[in-house]
Coordinates of all heavy atoms in Angstrom, one line a residue:
R14 N -12.6 8.3 8.6 CA -13.2 9.4 9.4 C -14.3 10.0 8.7 O -15.3 10.4 9.3 CB -12.0 10.4 9.5 CG -12.5 11.7 10.3 CD -12.7 11.4 11.7 NE -13.1 12.7 12.4 CZ -13.8 12.8 13.5 NH1 -14.2 11.8 14.0 NH2 -14.1 13.9 14.0
A15 N -14.2 10.1 7.3 CA -15.4 10.7 6.6 C -16.6 9.9 6.7 O -17.7 10.4 6.9 CB -15.0 10.9 5.1
V16 N -16.5 8.6 6.6 CA -17.6 7.7 6.7 C -18.2 7.8 8.2 O -19.5 7.8 8.3 CB -17.3 6.2 6.4 CG1 -18.3 5.3 6.8 CG2 -16.9 6.1 4.9
Y17 N -17.4 7.8 9.1 CA -17.9 8.1 10.5 C -18.7 9.4 10.6 O -19.8 9.4 11.1 CB -16.8 8.1 11.5 CG -17.3 8.6 12.8 CD1 -17.9 7.7 13.7 CD2 -17.1 9.9 13.3 CE1 -18.4 8.2 14.9 CE2 -17.5 10.4 14.5 CZ -18.2 9.5 15.3 OH -18.6 10.0 16.5
L18 N -18.2 10.4 10.0 CA -18.9 11.8 10.1 C -20.2 11.7 9.3 O -21.2 12.3 9.7 CB -18.0 12.9 9.6 CG -16.7 13.2 10.6 CD1 -15.8 14.1 9.9 CD2 -17.3 13.7 11.9
L19 N -20.2 11.1 8.1 CA -21.4 11.0 7.4 C -22.5 10.3 8.2 O -23.7 10.6 8.0 CB -21.1 10.2 6.0 CG -20.4 10.9 5.0 CD1 -19.9 10.1 3.9 CD2 -21.2 12.1 4.4
R20 N -22.1 9.3 8.9 CA -23.1 8.4 9.6 C -23.6 9.1 10.9 O -24.7 9.0 11.3 CB -22.6 7.0 9.9 CG -22.5 6.2 8.7 CD -21.9 4.8 9.0 NE -22.0 4.0 7.8 CZ -21.2 2.9 7.6 NH1 -20.5 2.5 8.6 NH2 -21.4 2.2 6.5
A21 N -22.6 9.9 11.5 CA -22.9 10.4 12.9 C -23.2 11.8 12.9 O -23.7 12.3 14.0 CB -21.7 10.2 13.7
T22 N -23.2 12.6 11.9 CA -23.5 14.0 11.8 C -24.4 14.4 10.6 O -24.7 13.5 9.8 CB -22.2 14.8 11.8 OG1 -21.6 14.8 10.5 CG2 -21.1 14.4 12.8
T23 N -24.8 15.6 10.7 CA -25.6 16.1 9.5 C -24.8 17.1 8.8 O -25.3 17.9 8.0 CB -26.9 16.8 10.0 OG1 -26.5 17.8 10.9 CG2 -27.8 15.7 10.7
L24 N -23.5 17.1 9.0 CA -22.5 18.0 8.2 C -22.7 17.7 6.7 O -23.0 16.7 6.3 CB -21.1 17.8 8.5 CG -20.7 18.1 9.9 CD1 -19.2 17.7 10.3 CD2 -20.7 19.7 10.1
T25 N -22.5 18.8 5.8 CA -22.5 18.6 4.4 C -21.3 17.8 4.0 O -20.3 17.7 4.7 CB -22.5 20.0 3.7 OG1 -21.3 20.6 4.0 CG2 -23.7 20.8 4.2
V26 N -21.4 17.3 2.8 CA -20.2 16.6 2.2 C -19.1 17.5 2.0 O -17.9 17.1 2.3 CB -20.7 15.9 0.9 CG1 -19.5 15.2 0.2 CG2 -21.7 14.8 1.1
D27 N -19.3 18.7 1.6 CA -18.2 19.7 1.5 C -17.5 20.0 2.9 O -16.3 20.1 2.9 CB -18.8 21.0 0.8 CG -19.0 20.9 -0.6 OD1 -18.4 20.0 -1.3 OD2 -19.9 21.6 -1.1
A28 N -18.3 20.1 3.9 CA -17.8 20.3 5.2 C -16.9 19.2 5.7 O -15.9 19.3 6.3 CB -18.9 20.6 6.2
I29 N -17.5 18.0 5.5 CA -16.8 16.8 5.9 C -15.4 16.7 5.0 O -14.4 16.3 5.6 CB -17.6 15.5 5.7 CG1 -18.7 15.5 6.7 CG2 -16.8 14.2 5.9 CD1 -19.9 14.5 6.6
A30 N -15.5 16.8 3.7 CA -14.3 16.8 2.9 C -13.2 17.8 3.4 O -12.1 17.4 3.6 CB -14.6 17.2 1.5
S31 N -13.7 19.0 3.8 CA -12.7 19.9 4.4 C -12.1 19.4 5.6 O -10.9 19.6 5.9 CB -13.4 21.3 4.6 OG -12.5 22.1 5.1
E32 N -13.0 18.9 6.5 CA -12.6 18.4 7.9 C -11.5 17.3 7.7 O -10.6 17.2 8.6 CB -13.8 17.8 8.6 CG -13.5 17.2 9.9 CD -13.3 18.3 11.0 OE1 -13.7 19.4 10.8 OE2 -12.8 18.0 12.0
V33 N -11.7 16.4 6.7 CA -10.7 15.3 6.6 C -9.6 15.5 5.6 O -8.8 14.6 5.4 CB -11.4 14.0 6.3 CG1 -12.5 13.6 7.3 CG2 -12.1 14.0 4.9
G34 N -9.6 16.7 5.0 CA -8.3 17.1 4.2 C -8.5 17.0 2.7 O -7.5 17.1 2.0
Y35 N -9.7 17.1 2.2 CA -9.9 17.2 0.8 C -10.4 18.5 0.4 O -11.0 19.2 1.2 CB -10.9 16.1 0.3 CG -10.3 14.7 0.4 CD1 -10.7 13.9 1.5 CD2 -9.4 14.2 -0.4 CE1 -10.2 12.6 1.6 CE2 -8.8 12.9 -0.4 CZ -9.2 12.2 0.7 OH -8.7 10.9 0.8
L36 N -10.1 18.9 -0.8 CA -10.4 20.3 -1.3 C -11.9 20.4 -1.6 O -12.4 21.5 -1.6 CB -9.5 20.7 -2.5 CG -8.1 20.8 -2.2 CD1 -7.3 21.1 -3.5 CD2 -7.8 21.9 -1.2
S37 N -12.5 19.4 -1.9 CA -13.9 19.5 -2.3 C -14.7 18.2 -2.0 O -14.2 17.1 -1.8 CB -14.1 19.7 -3.9 OG -13.6 18.5 -4.6
G38 N -16.1 18.4 -1.9 CA -16.9 17.2 -1.7 C -16.9 16.3 -2.9 O -17.0 15.1 -2.7
G39 N -16.6 16.8 -4.1 CA -16.6 15.9 -5.3 C -15.4 14.9 -5.1 O -15.5 13.8 -5.6
A40 N -14.3 15.4 -4.6 CA -13.1 14.5 -4.5 C -13.5 13.5 -3.5 O -13.1 12.3 -3.6 CB -11.9 15.3 -4.0
L41 N -14.1 13.8 -2.4 CA -14.5 12.8 -1.4 C -15.5 11.8 -1.9 O -15.4 10.6 -1.7 CB -15.1 13.5 -0.1 CG -15.6 12.6 1.0 CD1 -14.4 11.7 1.5 CD2 -16.1 13.4 2.1
R42 N -16.6 12.4 -2.7 CA -17.5 11.4 -3.2 C -16.9 10.4 -4.2 O -17.2 9.3 -4.2 CB -18.6 12.3 -4.1 CG -19.6 13.0 -3.3 CD -20.6 13.7 -4.2 NE -21.5 14.5 -3.4 CZ -21.3 15.7 -3.0 NH1 -20.3 16.4 -3.5 NH2 -22.2 16.4 -2.4
A43 N -15.9 10.9 -5.0 CA -15.2 10.0 -6.0 C -14.5 8.9 -5.2 O -14.5 7.8 -5.6 CB -14.3 10.8 -6.9
L44 N -13.8 9.3 -4.1 CA -13.0 8.3 -3.3 C -14.0 7.3 -2.7 O -13.7 6.1 -2.7 CB -12.2 9.1 -2.3 CG -11.4 8.1 -1.3 CD1 -10.3 7.5 -2.1 CD2 -10.8 8.9 -0.2
I45 N -15.0 7.8 -2.1 CA -16.1 6.8 -1.6 C -16.5 5.9 -2.6 O -16.7 4.6 -2.3 CB -17.2 7.6 -0.8 CG1 -16.7 8.3 0.4 CG2 -18.3 6.6 -0.5 CD1 -17.7 9.3 0.9
R46 N -16.9 6.4 -3.7 CA -17.4 5.5 -4.8 C -16.4 4.5 -5.3 O -16.7 3.3 -5.4 CB -17.9 6.4 -6.0 CG -18.3 5.6 -7.2 CD -19.6 4.8 -7.0 NE -20.7 5.6 -6.9 CZ -21.9 5.1 -6.5 NH1 -22.1 3.9 -6.4 NH2 -22.9 6.0 -6.4
R47 N -15.1 5.0 -5.3 CA -14.0 4.1 -5.9 C -13.7 3.0 -4.8 O -13.5 1.9 -5.2 CB -12.8 4.9 -6.2 CG -11.7 4.3 -6.9 CD -10.6 5.2 -7.5 NE -10.0 6.1 -6.4 CZ -10.2 7.3 -6.3 NH1 -11.0 8.0 -7.1 NH2 -9.6 8.0 -5.4
R48 N -13.5 3.4 -3.6 CA -13.1 2.5 -2.6 C -14.1 1.7 -1.9 O -14.0 0.6 -1.5 CB -12.4 3.3 -1.4 CG -11.1 4.0 -1.8 CD -10.0 3.0 -1.8 NE -8.7 3.6 -2.2 CZ -7.8 4.0 -1.4 NH1 -8.0 3.9 -0.1 NH2 -6.7 4.6 -1.8
R49 N -15.3 2.3 -1.8 CA -16.4 1.5 -1.1 C -17.6 1.0 -2.0 O -18.3 0.2 -1.6 CB -17.1 2.4 0.0 CG -16.2 2.8 1.1 CD -16.0 1.6 2.0 NE -15.0 1.9 3.1 CZ -15.3 2.3 4.3 NH1 -16.5 2.5 4.6 NH2 -14.3 2.6 5.2
G50 N -17.6 1.6 -3.2 CA -18.6 1.2 -4.1 C -20.1 1.7 -3.7 O -21.0 1.1 -4.2
L51 N -20.1 2.7 -2.9 CA -21.3 3.3 -2.4 C -21.4 4.8 -2.7 O -20.4 5.4 -2.9 CB -21.4 3.0 -0.9 CG -21.4 1.7 -0.4 CD1 -21.3 1.6 1.1 CD2 -22.7 0.9 -0.8
S52 N -22.6 5.3 -2.7 CA -22.7 6.7 -2.8 C -22.8 7.3 -1.3 O -23.0 6.6 -0.4 CB -24.0 7.1 -3.5 OG -25.1 6.7 -2.8
V53 N -22.7 8.6 -1.2 CA -22.8 9.3 0.0 C -24.3 9.0 0.6 O -24.4 8.7 1.8 CB -22.6 10.8 -0.1 CG1 -23.0 11.5 1.2 CG2 -21.1 11.1 -0.4
A54 N -25.3 9.1 -0.2 CA -26.6 8.8 0.3 C -26.7 7.4 0.8 O -27.4 7.2 1.8 CB -27.6 9.0 -0.8
E55 N -26.1 6.4 0.1 CA -26.2 5.1 0.6 C -25.5 4.9 2.0 O -25.9 4.2 2.9 CB -25.5 4.1 -0.4 CG -26.4 3.9 -1.6 CD -25.6 3.2 -2.7 OE1 -24.4 3.4 -3.0 OE2 -26.3 2.4 -3.4
I56 N -24.3 5.6 2.2 CA -23.7 5.5 3.5 C -24.6 6.2 4.6 O -24.7 5.7 5.6 CB -22.3 6.2 3.4 CG1 -21.4 5.3 2.5 CG2 -21.7 6.5 4.8 CD1 -20.0 6.0 2.3
R57 N -25.1 7.4 4.3 CA -26.0 8.0 5.2 C -27.2 7.2 5.5 O -27.7 7.2 6.6 CB -26.4 9.4 4.7 CG -25.1 10.3 4.8 CD -25.7 11.7 5.2 NE -24.6 12.5 5.8 CZ -24.4 13.7 5.5 NH1 -25.0 14.4 4.6 NH2 -23.3 14.4 6.2
G58 N -27.7 6.5 4.5 CA -28.9 5.5 4.8 C -28.6 4.5 5.7 O -29.5 4.0 6.4
V59 N -27.4 4.1 5.9 CA -27.0 3.1 6.8 C -27.4 3.6 8.3 O -28.0 2.8 9.1 CB -25.5 2.7 6.8 CG1 -25.1 1.8 8.0 CG2 -25.3 2.0 5.5
R60 N -27.1 4.9 8.5 CA -27.4 5.5 9.8 C -28.9 5.5 10.0 O -29.4 5.1 11.1 CB -27.0 6.9 9.9 CG -27.3 7.6 11.2 CD -26.8 9.0 11.2 NE -27.4 9.7 10.0 CZ -27.6 11.0 9.9 NH1 -27.2 11.7 10.9 NH2 -28.2 11.5 8.8

Side-chain angles (χ1 to χ4, degrees):
R14 178 71 177 153
V16 168
Y17 169 78
L18 291 171
L19 285 166
R20 289 180 176 162
T22 72
T23 58
L24 292 171
T25 66
V26 176
D27 287 334
I29 292 171
S31 178
E32 178 75 22
V33 299
Y35 290 103
L36 295 176
S37 71
L41 179 58
R42 283 183 185 91
L44 179 67
I45 291 170
R46 176 64 71 185
R47 190 170 58 250
R48 295 278 180 97
R49 297 286 174 98
L51 298 170
S52 70
V53 168
E55 290 169 321
I56 289 174
R57 285 212 157 139
V59 171
R60 178 184 56 155

